[in-house]
Amino acid sequence: LCIVVIAYFDLSGRVDYATKSLLKIVLFGLIPFTLLRRPKVKAMLGVNQSTKRILFVGIGMILVIVLGFFITKLFISYDLVIDSLENRLNVTLDNFLFVSLYIVLINSGLEEFFFRHFIPLQLHISSEWTNRLISSLLFAIYHVAILYGMFELWVVLLMILGLWIVGVFFSLLNQNAKGFLNSYLFHACANIGINLVGLLLFLGY
């Protein structure tokens, strides 16, 4: 239900980005947090042996994403991206810095808490891999509303498949930890790269 509500506002463009962000904080953060039994914040954000290595790889991922943008420009059209950001998602160059900071610092954490921590705890399925696949599929489906209208249909479908795989990968980053800090850091780094691509598009590159 939370995913459907957020997707509706993503597709409709009826509210500004700040209002939608506050709604997402409530639906993906506050409500799920209150539904957890005795939530332990320290455990959720606990550092482990692989955290530093993951952060280092995540920084490298920023460069990979920016490089990938220039490579994919050769066969993927990005013409619709800015139009969709401005007219449907209400993101402009004027509020781009605010949106970017929110996406990296808050949105990454909200999505990792919701999809990698809260949902798997609620599924109550014995198989850890089944939990991982279902939560990752929901993560991919959620992004359909964001990507819709930005690219051709075949590109969106390919991205959804990629996001499902990415969701599984993010889940694996947390398998030796009790929380979601590892996937949060990697997700934040990936979003930095995506935001840099967005900035390049706004600047006409």
Side-chain angles (χ1 to χ4, degrees):
L1 180 59
C2 291
I3 294 170
V4 170
V5 172
I6 294 296
Y8 168 76
F9 283 105
D10 274 330
L11 289 170
S12 67
R14 292 187 176 184
V15 297
D16 58 26
Y17 198 89
T19 303
K20 190 181 66 177
S21 298
L22 290 174
L23 180 63
K24 189 172 182 179
I25 290 172
V26 173
L27 294 178
F28 276 21
L30 296 179
I31 292 178
F33 187 80
T34 59
L35 293 175
L36 291 177
R37 294 182 179 179
R38 299 178 182 179
K40 298 178 181 178
V41 177
K42 280 190 176 181
M44 291 182 195
L45 299 175
V47 177
N48 57 64
Q49 295 179 348
S50 59
T51 301
K52 290 183 179 179
R53 183 169 65 253
I54 288 171
L55 181 58
F56 180 77
V57 176
I59 293 173
M61 178 58 63
I62 298 173
L63 300 176
V64 171
I65 290 173
V66 175
L67 179 61
F69 161 68
F70 285 106
I71 294 174
T72 55
K73 277 185 67 177
L74 300 175
F75 51 88
I76 293 179
S77 173
Y78 287 88
D79 294 341
L80 296 175
V81 174
I82 297 301
D83 181 66
S84 182
L85 286 173
E86 291 180 336
N87 297 322
R88 185 167 58 82
L89 299 179
N90 303 302
V91 178
T92 66
L93 191 57
D94 292 333
N95 64 10
F96 188 80
L97 178 59
F98 161 75
V99 172
S100 297
L101 290 174
Y102 164 78
I103 288 175
V104 172
L105 299 177
I106 300 177
N107 188 71
S108 300
L110 284 174
E111 291 187 3
E112 290 310 305
F113 166 70
F114 187 76
F115 290 103
R116 245 65 69 182
H117 190 75
F118 176 72
I119 288 181
L121 288 177
Q122 307 309 309
L123 291 176
H124 300 299
I125 300 174
S126 58
S127 169
E128 184 178 356
W129 264 101
T130 303
N131 287 0
R132 183 173 289 132
L133 289 171
I134 291 176
S135 61
S136 299
L137 179 60
L138 291 173
F139 173 72
I141 292 173
Y142 155 73
H143 282 85
V144 171
I146 300 175
L147 297 172
Y148 180 80
M150 289 189 182
F151 302 95
E152 297 173 84
L153 179 60
W154 73 270
V155 178
V156 173
L157 294 176
L158 189 61
M159 286 182 169
I160 297 307
L161 176 61
L163 282 165
W164 191 4
I165 296 172
V166 166
V168 172
F169 172 70
F170 282 170
S171 179
L172 290 172
L173 293 178
N174 298 325
Q175 65 179 346
N176 296 321
K178 295 181 180 180
F180 58 93
L181 178 64
N182 289 350
S183 62
Y184 168 42
L185 292 175
F186 201 90
H187 194 158
C189 288
N191 279 341
I192 290 174
I194 293 170
N195 289 341
L196 287 174
V197 170
L199 180 60
L200 288 172
L201 289 171
F202 270 116
L203 295 177
Y205 286 94

